[in-house]
Amino acid sequence: MKVCKFGGSSLADAAQINKVIDIVLADPSRRIVVVSAPGKRNGSDTKVTDLLIALAKAALSGANVDREYGAVVERYASIAQDLRLGDQITREIEDDLKGRIADKSKLTEDEFMDLMKAAGEDNNAKLIAAAFTARGRKARYASPRDTGMVLMGEHGDAQLDPESYKTLTRAFSNFEGIVIYPGFFGYTKEGKVATFPRGGSDITGSILAAAVCADVYENFTDVDSVYPADPRLVPEVKDGEGIKTMTYREMRELAYAGFGVFNDDAVIPAVKARIPINIRNTNHPSAPGTMIQQTRRSVPGTIVGVASESGFVNIIIDKYLMNREIGFGRKVLTILEEEGIGYEHMPTGIDSLCVMVKDKFMPTEVEKRVVNRIKKELKPDSVSVVHDLDVLMMVGEGTRYAVGMLAKVSKALADAGVSVMMFSQGASEVSSMAAVRTQDREKAVRAIYHAFFE
């Protein structure tokens, strides 16, 4: 059995939804279909999720919501009309939205925002189930509430309660036909809607694939495969250069560093259940795509891809004889923990320590407080904070024990005139990280791409 997930671009209008139906019906093993909310129909269009966020904000402000409400309804009505589904499904969506808006007074702002955002996937799943039925195929909508998709943690950044796997497995143990399942959200133990981070439909699909022990988890998007570099930064990347196979670890590292084709958190459920992930193109379903699996044959000294992510700052701490002060690193991390800041990378020297964190966690007042605490509690010789850094990740199983990898990377960046602010190799030796100035991001990625792929 296969679980397949279709992203917003694959469900943007009736023509795309008909492609999805054709793809699912072409393979009888495609039994569970996870859907996102309708995405952009063109470059100037607005995603349904963004329309729902605008509607939620208008409702929270107490303003008249007719315009925002109408924009959401019109989008679904247009799809339903083009699919010749009649008016019933549109009326159901209208009633659903009105009911959600009416619940505003019972919820906190974060709870209400999650409730509204989830309407995109939830109503699209109902519409697509109706579209399958209209094509004479047995299909049904399945609710995350009824199947036991229980989430915990912060609204907008929730995680699956591990106990949910047992409930989900039972829910799908005896089902007939095709199940259309909304991605992106679930319910708390208190019965309130909670959402995964953006791109969370990938996570839903991976969870369901693990729960039912699927043969493969197919993730349909708008590209033929995963490319070794972002074509927006490296236009030289050619269609034939897509990655054929890669490991879970490689995908996780690349997704973390900005490979937007797949949510990095979505790798984890599939990894634990050892379910292969197949990235495929809705608009070119005959292409084999990229297969992500436990292992692959690698060539020493090679990488599968280079990725970059913006928005980092580096906290640099110097103190003579730091290495003799037991617990110094722990104390630094304790300060960050108490300030609600997670760290990304932490290379050290004998008398120095660097901690790289996301810029979004370090607004001016927090940065001042963190620096003052480090000065007061740890008595360093100096503390400085470097802003406007990007992370560059070179990823590949072939980098393990390969002689000259660092020299090759360093030469490529030096030849491109890029100064490396920090360098670190992951403990798994599958990835290497270089921190560069934001202004050097594009030429750094291009330099690594040309060094390894041409």
Side-chain angles (χ1 to χ4, degrees):
M1 181 173 63
K2 295 178 180 178
V3 172
C4 46
K5 174 261 175 181
F6 292 88
S9 62
S10 300
L11 304 165
D13 56 27
Q16 289 296 98
I17 290 173
N18 275 323
K19 289 181 186 178
V20 167
I21 295 173
D22 290 340
I23 289 169
V24 173
L25 297 182
D27 186 344
S29 65
R30 292 179 176 132
R31 302 281 307 284
I32 300 175
V33 181
V34 177
V35 299
S36 297
K40 291 185 177 183
R41 293 163 290 191
N42 52 62
S44 61
D45 200 12
T46 304
K47 300 177 182 178
V48 164
T49 300
D50 291 336
L51 293 176
L52 286 163
I53 290 172
L55 173 58
K57 288 180 177 178
L60 287 168
S61 71
N64 184 294
V65 300
D66 288 349
R67 181 171 62 87
E68 290 81 6
Y69 170 82
V72 177
V73 171
E74 188 280 329
R75 187 69 184 279
Y76 283 111
S78 173
I79 295 173
Q81 181 179 356
D82 291 342
L83 289 171
R84 300 179 180 178
L85 301 180
D87 297 332
Q88 180 61 33
I89 187 66
T90 302
R91 287 196 293 271
E92 290 178 14
I93 293 171
E94 288 177 333
D95 292 342
D96 175 82
L97 291 171
K98 289 175 182 176
R100 290 172 193 257
I101 295 170
D103 285 341
K104 176 172 67 73
S105 59
K106 307 173 188 175
L107 305 171
T108 67
E109 184 172 320
D110 288 342
E111 290 169 351
F112 179 67
M113 186 62 74
D114 268 9
L115 178 68
M116 294 304 297
K117 287 189 295 183
E121 280 73 13
D122 204 27
N123 286 307
N124 207 30
K126 295 171 185 176
L127 186 151
I128 290 169
F132 270 92
T133 302
R135 291 269 295 264
R137 302 294 177 163
K138 188 172 185 177
R140 66 177 177 89
Y141 157 84
S143 164
R145 185 200 297 271
D146 297 339
T147 53
M149 181 73 74
V150 178
L151 306 190
M152 57 187 186
E154 296 180 15
H155 284 270
D157 193 23
Q159 295 178 325
L160 183 76
D161 182 335
E163 293 298 313
S164 294
Y165 280 111
K166 296 177 184 176
T167 312
L168 289 166
T169 300
R170 286 197 298 269
F172 287 98
S173 60
N174 258 322
F175 71 95
E176 297 180 359
I178 298 165
V179 171
I180 312 300
Y181 201 95
F184 186 46
F185 76 96
Y187 288 83
T188 65
K189 289 181 178 179
E190 296 72 34
K192 294 176 180 176
V193 171
T195 65
F196 293 115
R198 276 244 174 170
S201 292
D202 289 344
I203 303 174
T204 301
S206 187
I207 289 168
L208 293 184
V212 303
C213 296
D215 298 313
V216 64
Y217 168 35
E218 294 182 319
N219 192 288
F220 283 86
T221 180
D222 54 4
V223 294
D224 278 358
S225 58
V226 179
Y227 292 111
D230 188 338
R232 294 170 297 183
L233 299 178
V234 189
E236 304 93 293
V237 173
K238 302 175 182 63
D239 287 341
E241 288 186 284
I243 302 168
K244 300 296 187 293
T245 60
M246 60 196 305
T247 66
Y248 297 127
R249 294 194 301 180
E250 290 170 331
M251 186 69 240
R252 176 87 166 89
E253 297 273 3
L254 289 170
Y256 156 78
F259 262 40
V261 72
F262 198 66
N263 185 301
D264 55 328
D265 289 343
V267 179
I268 299 170
V271 169
K272 291 181 177 179
R274 298 201 173 188
I275 308 295
I277 303 168
N278 192 192
I279 308 293
R280 305 188 66 170
N281 190 347
T282 303
N283 301 312
H284 189 192
S286 62
T290 297
M291 187 66 77
I292 306 167
Q293 53 201 32
Q294 189 74 19
T295 60
R296 71 175 181 90
R297 179 178 294 178
S298 61
V299 178
T302 62
I303 64 175
V304 296
V306 53
S308 65
E309 180 74 359
S310 300
F312 293 87
V313 299
N314 194 18
I315 305 169
I316 304 171
I317 306 170
D318 292 297
K319 186 175 185 180
Y320 184 58
L321 297 180
M322 180 190 294
N323 65 315
R324 296 190 182 182
E325 188 171 333
I326 296 173
F328 190 90
R330 175 186 56 78
K331 293 173 185 176
V332 172
L333 295 181
T334 297
I335 291 172
L336 295 178
E337 180 184 2
E338 291 173 353
E339 296 292 340
I341 301 170
Y343 78 97
E344 304 294 322
H345 303 280
M346 191 177 173
T348 64
I350 297 174
D351 300 321
S352 64
L353 178 151
C354 298
V355 186
M356 180 169 280
V357 303
K358 291 284 183 70
D359 181 75
K360 65 182 180 181
F361 297 130
M362 289 279 281
T364 303
E365 67 272 13
V366 175
E367 179 181 323
K368 288 180 180 178
R369 192 163 61 242
V370 168
V371 170
N372 287 336
R373 285 192 62 182
I374 291 172
K375 288 179 178 178
K376 180 180 178 181
E377 298 173 30
L378 304 181
K379 304 294 189 295
D381 298 326
S382 67
V383 183
S384 59
V385 180
V386 179
H387 292 265
D388 299 321
L389 295 178
D390 281 23
V391 161
L392 197 71
M393 297 292 293
M394 289 69 67
V395 178
E397 299 282 354
T399 63
R400 303 188 73 186
Y401 317 118
V403 176
M405 285 295 296
L406 177 56
K408 191 171 183 178
V409 170
S410 298
K411 183 178 186 306
L413 295 177
D415 289 346
V418 175
S419 176
V420 178
M421 311 303 294
M422 178 196 295
F423 193 90
S424 176
Q425 185 173 46
S428 66
E429 299 187 49
V430 173
S431 66
S432 298
M433 183 279 293
V436 302
R437 297 281 188 186
T438 297
Q439 64 196 38
D440 292 330
R441 177 190 183 193
E442 183 172 338
K443 61 181 178 181
V445 173
R446 294 186 68 183
I448 298 299
Y449 169 78
H450 287 294
F452 285 91
F453 294 98
E454 288 191 352

